[in-house]
C-alpha cells in the first residue's frame, strides 16, 4: 500500500513539474515566469526527495529559489513594475480550491499524515564532516554557480 501511495505522489509531483514548466514558457511576464521556474525547481526537488536523494533535493531548492528570486529582481529592475496585469478571480479561486483539495486528499484520505516523523536532533559537526569529506566537489561547483549568478545579476542591473 505504501509503495503505491509513493508512486501516486511521485506521478502527481511529476505532473505538477510538467505543468509549471509549461507556465515558464507560456507566461510573457518575467516575474510570473520566474515564479513558475521556482515552482519547477520545488517540484523537481520533491521528486528527488521521494526517490531518496534528500541532500540533492535541498541544494536544488536553494539554487532554484535563489535563481528565481534573482530573476524576479533583475526583471523588475530592468523592465519596471508597471506592466499590465490581467485579473481573473475565478482562476485564482480554482487554483486555491485545487491546492486545498490536493492537500486534503493526500493528507487525510491518502494517509500521508501517518508518514510524518518528528525531527531528530542533528549534530552540526557530523553535517560539516559529511559536507567537507564527501561532497567537497559538489560544494565547489555550487558556490561557483551561485557566484556567477550573482555577478551576472549585478552586471545586468548596472546596465540599466
Amino acid at each position: 500500500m505504501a509503495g503505491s501511495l509513493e508512486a501516486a505522489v511521485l506521478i502527481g509531483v511529476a505532473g505538477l513539474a510538467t505543468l509549471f514548466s509549461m507556465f515558464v514558457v507560456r507566461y510573457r511576464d518575467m516575474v510570473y515566469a520566474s515564479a513558475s521556474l521556482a515552482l519547477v525547481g520545488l517540484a523537481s526537488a520533491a521528486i528527488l526527495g521521494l526517490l531518496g536523494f534528500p541532500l540533492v533535493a535541498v541544494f536544488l531548492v536553494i539554487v532554484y529559489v535563489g535563481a528565481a528570486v534573482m530573476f524576479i529582481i533583475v526583471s523588475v529592475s530592468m523592465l519596471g513594475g508597471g506592466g499590465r496585469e490581467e485579473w481573473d478571480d475565478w482562476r485564482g479561486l480554482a487554483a486555491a480550491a485545487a491546492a486545498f483539495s490536493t492537500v486534503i486528499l493526500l493528507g487525510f484520505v491518502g494517509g500521508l499524515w501517518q508518514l510524518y516523523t518528528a525531527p531528530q536532533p542533528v549534530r552540526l559537526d557530523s553535517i560539516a564532516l559529511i559536507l567537507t569529506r564527501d561532497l567537497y566537489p559538489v560544494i565547489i561547483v555550487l558556490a561557483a554557480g551561485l557566484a556567477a549568478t550573482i555577478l551576472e545579476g549585478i552586471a545586468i542591473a548596472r546596465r540599466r
Side-chain angles (χ1 to χ4, degrees), residues 71-128:
F71 288 150
I72 290 171
I73 290 171
V74 168
S75 63
V76 167
S77 69
M78 287 179 59
L79 303 174
R84 282 186 307 161
E85 294 186 13
E86 297 177 12
W87 292 94
D88 186 3
D89 293 334
W90 292 109
R91 186 171 28 179
L93 184 62
F100 179 74
S101 62
T102 302
V103 168
I104 294 299
L105 181 70
L106 290 177
F108 295 110
V109 177
L112 199 60
W113 61 273
Q114 295 174 348
L115 298 176
Y116 174 76
T117 57
Q120 301 295 321
V122 178
R123 295 178 45 115
L124 292 179
D125 58 345
S126 64
I127 293 174

Short mmCIF file of all heavy atoms in Angstrom, two decimals, residues 71-128:
data_model
loop_
_atom_site.label_atom_id
_atom_site.label_comp_id
_atom_site.label_asym_id
_atom_site.label_seq_id
_atom_site.Cartn_x
_atom_site.Cartn_y
_atom_site.Cartn_z
N PHE A 71 16.03 36.27 -10.73
CA PHE A 71 15.38 36.61 -11.99
C PHE A 71 14.28 37.65 -11.78
O PHE A 71 14.12 38.56 -12.59
CB PHE A 71 14.78 35.37 -12.65
CG PHE A 71 15.79 34.43 -13.23
CD1 PHE A 71 15.53 33.07 -13.27
CD2 PHE A 71 16.99 34.88 -13.74
CE1 PHE A 71 16.45 32.20 -13.80
CE2 PHE A 71 17.92 34.02 -14.27
CZ PHE A 71 17.64 32.66 -14.29
N ILE A 72 13.52 37.50 -10.71
CA ILE A 72 12.45 38.46 -10.43
C ILE A 72 13.04 39.83 -10.15
O ILE A 72 12.57 40.85 -10.68
CB ILE A 72 11.58 37.97 -9.25
CG1 ILE A 72 10.76 36.75 -9.67
CG2 ILE A 72 10.66 39.07 -8.75
CD1 ILE A 72 10.05 36.06 -8.54
N ILE A 73 14.09 39.90 -9.35
CA ILE A 73 14.70 41.19 -9.03
C ILE A 73 15.27 41.85 -10.27
O ILE A 73 15.07 43.04 -10.52
CB ILE A 73 15.78 41.01 -7.96
CG1 ILE A 73 15.13 40.67 -6.61
CG2 ILE A 73 16.65 42.25 -7.82
CD1 ILE A 73 16.11 40.26 -5.55
N VAL A 74 15.97 41.06 -11.08
CA VAL A 74 16.57 41.62 -12.29
C VAL A 74 15.50 42.06 -13.28
O VAL A 74 15.60 43.13 -13.88
CB VAL A 74 17.54 40.59 -12.92
CG1 VAL A 74 17.97 41.02 -14.30
CG2 VAL A 74 18.75 40.40 -12.03
N SER A 75 14.45 41.25 -13.45
CA SER A 75 13.43 41.63 -14.42
C SER A 75 12.64 42.86 -13.96
O SER A 75 12.31 43.71 -14.77
CB SER A 75 12.47 40.46 -14.68
OG SER A 75 11.78 40.11 -13.51
N VAL A 76 12.37 42.97 -12.67
CA VAL A 76 11.67 44.17 -12.19
C VAL A 76 12.57 45.39 -12.31
O VAL A 76 12.12 46.48 -12.69
CB VAL A 76 11.18 43.94 -10.74
CG1 VAL A 76 10.74 45.25 -10.11
CG2 VAL A 76 10.04 42.94 -10.72
N SER A 77 13.87 45.23 -12.00
CA SER A 77 14.77 46.38 -12.09
C SER A 77 15.01 46.81 -13.53
O SER A 77 15.19 47.99 -13.80
CB SER A 77 16.09 46.08 -11.39
OG SER A 77 16.82 45.12 -12.11
N MET A 78 15.00 45.87 -14.46
CA MET A 78 15.22 46.21 -15.86
C MET A 78 13.96 46.72 -16.54
O MET A 78 13.99 47.70 -17.28
CB MET A 78 15.75 45.01 -16.64
CG MET A 78 17.18 44.67 -16.33
SD MET A 78 17.74 43.25 -17.25
CE MET A 78 17.48 43.78 -18.92
N LEU A 79 12.84 46.05 -16.28
CA LEU A 79 11.62 46.36 -17.01
C LEU A 79 10.68 47.26 -16.24
O LEU A 79 9.72 47.79 -16.81
CB LEU A 79 10.89 45.06 -17.37
CG LEU A 79 11.71 44.06 -18.19
CD1 LEU A 79 10.93 42.78 -18.36
CD2 LEU A 79 12.08 44.66 -19.53
N GLY A 80 10.90 47.41 -14.95
CA GLY A 80 9.99 48.20 -14.14
C GLY A 80 8.79 47.38 -13.73
O GLY A 80 8.52 46.31 -14.26
N GLY A 81 8.06 47.88 -12.79
CA GLY A 81 6.91 47.13 -12.29
C GLY A 81 5.59 47.59 -12.86
O GLY A 81 4.56 47.24 -12.34
N GLY A 82 5.59 48.38 -13.92
CA GLY A 82 4.36 48.96 -14.42
C GLY A 82 3.70 48.19 -15.54
O GLY A 82 3.04 48.79 -16.37
N GLY A 83 3.89 46.90 -15.61
CA GLY A 83 3.28 46.11 -16.67
C GLY A 83 1.79 45.93 -16.46
O GLY A 83 1.25 46.15 -15.38
N ARG A 84 1.11 45.52 -17.52
CA ARG A 84 -0.32 45.25 -17.42
C ARG A 84 -0.53 43.88 -16.81
O ARG A 84 0.11 42.92 -17.21
CB ARG A 84 -0.96 45.26 -18.80
CG ARG A 84 -1.21 46.62 -19.35
CD ARG A 84 -1.98 46.51 -20.63
NE ARG A 84 -1.27 45.60 -21.53
CZ ARG A 84 -1.81 45.01 -22.57
NH1 ARG A 84 -3.06 45.20 -22.86
NH2 ARG A 84 -1.11 44.21 -23.34
N GLU A 85 -1.42 43.84 -15.88
CA GLU A 85 -1.78 42.57 -15.28
C GLU A 85 -3.25 42.33 -15.51
O GLU A 85 -4.07 43.25 -15.40
CB GLU A 85 -1.48 42.55 -13.79
CG GLU A 85 -0.02 42.64 -13.48
CD GLU A 85 0.24 42.48 -11.98
OE1 GLU A 85 -0.68 42.06 -11.26
OE2 GLU A 85 1.34 42.78 -11.56
N GLU A 86 -3.58 41.12 -15.84
CA GLU A 86 -4.97 40.75 -16.03
C GLU A 86 -5.41 39.92 -14.84
O GLU A 86 -4.74 38.96 -14.46
CB GLU A 86 -5.13 39.95 -17.31
CG GLU A 86 -4.76 40.73 -18.55
CD GLU A 86 -4.87 39.89 -19.80
OE1 GLU A 86 -5.44 38.79 -19.73
OE2 GLU A 86 -4.36 40.32 -20.83
N TRP A 87 -6.51 40.30 -14.25
CA TRP A 87 -7.02 39.60 -13.08
C TRP A 87 -8.20 38.74 -13.48
O TRP A 87 -9.10 39.19 -14.18
CB TRP A 87 -7.44 40.60 -12.00
CG TRP A 87 -6.29 41.31 -11.42
CD1 TRP A 87 -5.79 42.52 -11.81
CD2 TRP A 87 -5.46 40.86 -10.37
NE1 TRP A 87 -4.71 42.86 -11.06
CE2 TRP A 87 -4.47 41.84 -10.16
CE3 TRP A 87 -5.43 39.71 -9.58
CZ2 TRP A 87 -3.50 41.72 -9.20
CZ3 TRP A 87 -4.45 39.60 -8.62
CH2 TRP A 87 -3.51 40.60 -8.44
N ASP A 88 -8.16 37.53 -13.04
CA ASP A 88 -9.26 36.62 -13.24
C ASP A 88 -9.55 35.97 -11.90
O ASP A 88 -8.82 35.08 -11.46
CB ASP A 88 -8.91 35.57 -14.29
CG ASP A 88 -10.08 34.69 -14.64
OD1 ASP A 88 -11.19 34.92 -14.12
OD2 ASP A 88 -9.90 33.75 -15.44
N ASP A 89 -10.59 36.46 -11.22
CA ASP A 89 -10.89 35.97 -9.88
C ASP A 89 -11.21 34.49 -9.87
O ASP A 89 -10.85 33.77 -8.93
CB ASP A 89 -12.05 36.76 -9.28
CG ASP A 89 -11.67 38.21 -9.04
OD1 ASP A 89 -10.48 38.48 -8.85
OD2 ASP A 89 -12.58 39.06 -9.03
N TRP A 90 -11.87 34.00 -10.89
CA TRP A 90 -12.26 32.59 -10.91
C TRP A 90 -11.06 31.67 -11.06
O TRP A 90 -11.04 30.57 -10.50
CB TRP A 90 -13.27 32.34 -12.01
CG TRP A 90 -14.57 33.01 -11.73
CD1 TRP A 90 -15.09 34.11 -12.37
CD2 TRP A 90 -15.51 32.67 -10.72
NE1 TRP A 90 -16.28 34.47 -11.82
CE2 TRP A 90 -16.57 33.59 -10.80
CE3 TRP A 90 -15.55 31.68 -9.74
CZ2 TRP A 90 -17.65 33.53 -9.94
CZ3 TRP A 90 -16.64 31.63 -8.90
CH2 TRP A 90 -17.67 32.54 -9.00
N ARG A 91 -10.06 32.09 -11.82
CA ARG A 91 -8.87 31.25 -12.00
C ARG A 91 -8.11 31.13 -10.68
O ARG A 91 -7.64 30.06 -10.33
CB ARG A 91 -7.98 31.84 -13.09
CG ARG A 91 -6.82 30.96 -13.42
CD ARG A 91 -6.05 31.37 -14.62
NE ARG A 91 -6.07 32.80 -14.89
CZ ARG A 91 -5.44 33.37 -15.88
NH1 ARG A 91 -4.73 32.66 -16.70
NH2 ARG A 91 -5.51 34.66 -16.07
N GLY A 92 -7.99 32.22 -9.94
CA GLY A 92 -7.32 32.16 -8.64
C GLY A 92 -8.09 31.31 -7.65
O GLY A 92 -7.51 30.53 -6.89
N LEU A 93 -9.41 31.44 -7.68
CA LEU A 93 -10.24 30.61 -6.80
C LEU A 93 -10.13 29.14 -7.16
O LEU A 93 -10.06 28.28 -6.28
CB LEU A 93 -11.69 31.09 -6.87
CG LEU A 93 -12.68 30.40 -5.94
CD1 LEU A 93 -12.28 30.64 -4.48
CD2 LEU A 93 -14.08 30.88 -6.22
N ALA A 94 -10.09 28.84 -8.45
CA ALA A 94 -9.96 27.45 -8.89
C ALA A 94 -8.60 26.88 -8.47
O ALA A 94 -8.51 25.72 -8.05
CB ALA A 94 -10.15 27.35 -10.40
N ALA A 95 -7.54 27.68 -8.58
CA ALA A 95 -6.21 27.22 -8.18
C ALA A 95 -6.16 26.97 -6.67
O ALA A 95 -5.58 25.97 -6.21
CB ALA A 95 -5.15 28.23 -8.59
N ALA A 96 -6.76 27.87 -5.90
CA ALA A 96 -6.78 27.68 -4.44
C ALA A 96 -7.59 26.45 -4.06
O ALA A 96 -7.19 25.68 -3.18
CB ALA A 96 -7.35 28.92 -3.77
N ALA A 97 -8.72 26.23 -4.72
CA ALA A 97 -9.54 25.05 -4.43
C ALA A 97 -8.81 23.76 -4.81
O ALA A 97 -8.87 22.76 -4.09
CB ALA A 97 -10.87 25.15 -5.17
N ALA A 98 -8.09 23.80 -5.94
CA ALA A 98 -7.33 22.61 -6.35
C ALA A 98 -6.20 22.31 -5.36
O ALA A 98 -5.97 21.15 -5.01
CB ALA A 98 -6.78 22.81 -7.75
N ALA A 99 -5.50 23.35 -4.92
CA ALA A 99 -4.42 23.14 -3.95
C ALA A 99 -4.97 22.63 -2.62
O ALA A 99 -4.41 21.69 -2.03
CB ALA A 99 -3.65 24.44 -3.75
N PHE A 100 -6.07 23.20 -2.17
CA PHE A 100 -6.67 22.76 -0.91
C PHE A 100 -7.15 21.32 -1.00
O PHE A 100 -6.92 20.52 -0.09
CB PHE A 100 -7.82 23.69 -0.54
CG PHE A 100 -8.51 23.31 0.73
CD1 PHE A 100 -7.89 23.54 1.96
CD2 PHE A 100 -9.76 22.73 0.71
CE1 PHE A 100 -8.52 23.18 3.14
CE2 PHE A 100 -10.39 22.37 1.89
CZ PHE A 100 -9.77 22.60 3.11
N SER A 101 -7.83 20.98 -2.09
CA SER A 101 -8.33 19.62 -2.23
C SER A 101 -7.19 18.61 -2.37
O SER A 101 -7.30 17.48 -1.89
CB SER A 101 -9.29 19.51 -3.40
OG SER A 101 -8.63 19.83 -4.61
N THR A 102 -6.08 19.00 -2.99
CA THR A 102 -4.92 18.11 -3.08
C THR A 102 -4.33 17.84 -1.71
O THR A 102 -4.00 16.70 -1.38
CB THR A 102 -3.86 18.72 -4.01
OG1 THR A 102 -4.44 18.94 -5.30
CG2 THR A 102 -2.66 17.81 -4.14
N VAL A 103 -4.22 18.88 -0.91
CA VAL A 103 -3.68 18.70 0.45
C VAL A 103 -4.60 17.82 1.27
O VAL A 103 -4.15 16.90 1.97
CB VAL A 103 -3.47 20.08 1.12
CG1 VAL A 103 -3.21 19.93 2.61
CG2 VAL A 103 -2.33 20.82 0.46
N ILE A 104 -5.89 18.06 1.17
CA ILE A 104 -6.85 17.23 1.92
C ILE A 104 -6.81 15.79 1.42
O ILE A 104 -6.80 14.85 2.22
CB ILE A 104 -8.28 17.82 1.81
CG1 ILE A 104 -8.35 19.17 2.51
CG2 ILE A 104 -9.30 16.87 2.37
CD1 ILE A 104 -8.05 19.11 3.99
N LEU A 105 -6.78 15.61 0.12
CA LEU A 105 -6.79 14.26 -0.45
C LEU A 105 -5.55 13.48 -0.05
O LEU A 105 -5.64 12.34 0.40
CB LEU A 105 -6.91 14.35 -1.98
CG LEU A 105 -6.94 13.03 -2.72
CD1 LEU A 105 -8.27 12.33 -2.43
CD2 LEU A 105 -6.78 13.25 -4.20
N LEU A 106 -4.37 14.10 -0.20
CA LEU A 106 -3.13 13.40 0.14
C LEU A 106 -2.94 13.26 1.65
O LEU A 106 -2.46 12.23 2.12
CB LEU A 106 -1.93 14.12 -0.46
CG LEU A 106 -1.79 14.05 -1.97
CD1 LEU A 106 -0.61 14.87 -2.43
CD2 LEU A 106 -1.67 12.63 -2.44
N GLY A 107 -3.34 14.29 2.38
CA GLY A 107 -3.08 14.28 3.82
C GLY A 107 -4.00 13.38 4.61
O GLY A 107 -3.55 12.58 5.42
N PHE A 108 -5.27 13.49 4.36
CA PHE A 108 -6.22 12.78 5.21
C PHE A 108 -6.74 11.51 4.56
O PHE A 108 -6.76 10.45 5.17
CB PHE A 108 -7.37 13.69 5.60
CG PHE A 108 -6.92 14.84 6.46
CD1 PHE A 108 -6.91 16.12 5.97
CD2 PHE A 108 -6.45 14.62 7.74
CE1 PHE A 108 -6.48 17.18 6.75
CE2 PHE A 108 -6.03 15.66 8.53
CZ PHE A 108 -6.03 16.94 8.03
N VAL A 109 -7.16 11.61 3.31
CA VAL A 109 -7.72 10.43 2.66
C VAL A 109 -6.61 9.44 2.31
O VAL A 109 -6.74 8.24 2.54
CB VAL A 109 -8.52 10.85 1.40
CG1 VAL A 109 -9.04 9.63 0.67
CG2 VAL A 109 -9.65 11.78 1.78
N GLY A 110 -5.50 9.94 1.79
CA GLY A 110 -4.40 9.07 1.39
C GLY A 110 -3.56 8.57 2.56
O GLY A 110 -2.73 7.69 2.39
N GLY A 111 -3.75 9.14 3.74
CA GLY A 111 -2.99 8.69 4.90
C GLY A 111 -1.55 9.16 4.90
O GLY A 111 -0.70 8.58 5.58
N LEU A 112 -1.25 10.23 4.15
CA LEU A 112 0.12 10.72 4.09
C LEU A 112 0.57 11.29 5.43
O LEU A 112 1.75 11.30 5.74
CB LEU A 112 0.23 11.77 2.98
CG LEU A 112 1.62 12.10 2.46
CD1 LEU A 112 2.26 10.85 1.87
CD2 LEU A 112 1.54 13.17 1.40
N TRP A 113 -0.36 11.73 6.26
CA TRP A 113 -0.02 12.29 7.56
C TRP A 113 0.58 11.23 8.47
O TRP A 113 1.27 11.56 9.43
CB TRP A 113 -1.25 12.93 8.20
CG TRP A 113 -2.36 11.96 8.45
CD1 TRP A 113 -3.34 11.60 7.58
CD2 TRP A 113 -2.59 11.21 9.63
NE1 TRP A 113 -4.17 10.67 8.14
CE2 TRP A 113 -3.73 10.41 9.42
CE3 TRP A 113 -1.95 11.12 10.86
CZ2 TRP A 113 -4.23 9.55 10.36
CZ3 TRP A 113 -2.48 10.27 11.81
CH2 TRP A 113 -3.60 9.50 11.56
N GLN A 114 0.34 9.96 8.21
CA GLN A 114 0.90 8.90 9.03
C GLN A 114 2.39 8.71 8.78
O GLN A 114 3.08 8.09 9.58
CB GLN A 114 0.17 7.59 8.78
CG GLN A 114 -1.27 7.63 9.22
CD GLN A 114 -2.03 6.38 8.83
OE1 GLN A 114 -1.55 5.58 8.05
NE2 GLN A 114 -3.23 6.23 9.37
N LEU A 115 2.90 9.20 7.66
CA LEU A 115 4.31 9.05 7.34
C LEU A 115 5.19 10.07 8.07
O LEU A 115 6.40 9.98 8.02
CB LEU A 115 4.53 9.20 5.82
CG LEU A 115 3.83 8.15 4.95
CD1 LEU A 115 4.06 8.48 3.48
CD2 LEU A 115 4.32 6.76 5.28
N TYR A 116 4.57 11.04 8.75
CA TYR A 116 5.33 12.08 9.44
C TYR A 116 6.03 11.50 10.66
O TYR A 116 5.47 10.76 11.43
CB TYR A 116 4.40 13.21 9.88
CG TYR A 116 5.09 14.24 10.73
CD1 TYR A 116 5.93 15.17 10.15
CD2 TYR A 116 4.93 14.26 12.11
CE1 TYR A 116 6.58 16.11 10.92
CE2 TYR A 116 5.58 15.19 12.88
CZ TYR A 116 6.40 16.11 12.29
OH TYR A 116 7.05 17.04 13.05
N THR A 117 7.29 11.85 10.79
CA THR A 117 8.05 11.52 12.00
C THR A 117 8.62 12.81 12.55
O THR A 117 8.97 13.72 11.80
CB THR A 117 9.19 10.54 11.70
OG1 THR A 117 10.04 11.11 10.71
CG2 THR A 117 8.66 9.20 11.21
N ALA A 118 8.72 12.87 13.84
CA ALA A 118 9.24 14.08 14.48
C ALA A 118 10.71 14.26 14.12
O ALA A 118 11.45 13.28 13.97
CB ALA A 118 9.08 13.98 16.00
N PRO A 119 11.16 15.50 13.95
CA PRO A 119 12.56 15.73 13.62
C PRO A 119 13.48 15.25 14.75
O PRO A 119 13.17 15.41 15.93
CB PRO A 119 12.66 17.25 13.45
CG PRO A 119 11.30 17.79 13.55
CD PRO A 119 10.39 16.72 14.01
N GLN A 120 14.58 14.68 14.34
CA GLN A 120 15.57 14.19 15.29
C GLN A 120 16.69 15.22 15.42
O GLN A 120 17.03 15.90 14.45
CB GLN A 120 16.15 12.86 14.82
CG GLN A 120 15.10 11.78 14.62
CD GLN A 120 14.43 11.40 15.93
OE1 GLN A 120 15.08 11.31 16.95
NE2 GLN A 120 13.12 11.19 15.87
N PRO A 121 17.27 15.35 16.59
CA PRO A 121 18.39 16.29 16.73
C PRO A 121 19.58 15.83 15.89
O PRO A 121 19.87 14.64 15.79
CB PRO A 121 18.71 16.26 18.22
CG PRO A 121 18.09 15.02 18.74
CD PRO A 121 16.94 14.68 17.84
N VAL A 122 20.22 16.80 15.27
CA VAL A 122 21.36 16.52 14.41
C VAL A 122 22.56 17.30 14.92
O VAL A 122 22.45 18.48 15.26
CB VAL A 122 21.05 16.93 12.95
CG1 VAL A 122 22.23 16.70 12.04
CG2 VAL A 122 19.84 16.18 12.44
N ARG A 123 23.68 16.65 14.92
CA ARG A 123 24.91 17.33 15.34
C ARG A 123 25.51 18.06 14.14
O ARG A 123 25.66 17.48 13.06
CB ARG A 123 25.89 16.31 15.89
CG ARG A 123 25.41 15.66 17.17
CD ARG A 123 26.40 14.63 17.63
NE ARG A 123 27.76 15.12 17.55
CZ ARG A 123 28.55 15.33 18.61
NH1 ARG A 123 28.11 15.05 19.81
NH2 ARG A 123 29.77 15.78 18.46
N LEU A 124 25.84 19.32 14.34
CA LEU A 124 26.38 20.12 13.25
C LEU A 124 27.76 19.65 12.81
O LEU A 124 28.12 19.77 11.64
CB LEU A 124 26.41 21.59 13.65
CG LEU A 124 25.06 22.26 13.83
CD1 LEU A 124 25.23 23.70 14.26
CD2 LEU A 124 24.25 22.16 12.56
N ASP A 125 28.54 19.11 13.73
CA ASP A 125 29.87 18.65 13.34
C ASP A 125 29.77 17.44 12.41
O ASP A 125 30.61 17.27 11.51
CB ASP A 125 30.73 18.35 14.56
CG ASP A 125 30.11 17.32 15.48
OD1 ASP A 125 28.91 17.04 15.33
OD2 ASP A 125 30.84 16.81 16.36
N SER A 126 28.74 16.60 12.56
CA SER A 126 28.59 15.47 11.64
C SER A 126 28.16 15.95 10.25
O SER A 126 28.61 15.42 9.24
CB SER A 126 27.59 14.46 12.19
OG SER A 126 26.31 15.04 12.29
N ILE A 127 27.32 16.99 10.20
CA ILE A 127 26.94 17.56 8.90
C ILE A 127 28.15 18.19 8.23
O ILE A 127 28.37 18.02 7.03
CB ILE A 127 25.80 18.57 9.08
CG1 ILE A 127 24.53 17.86 9.53
CG2 ILE A 127 25.54 19.33 7.78
CD1 ILE A 127 23.40 18.80 9.85
N ALA A 128 28.92 18.94 9.00
CA ALA A 128 30.12 19.58 8.43
C ALA A 128 31.11 18.53 7.93
O ALA A 128 31.74 18.72 6.88
CB ALA A 128 30.78 20.47 9.48
#
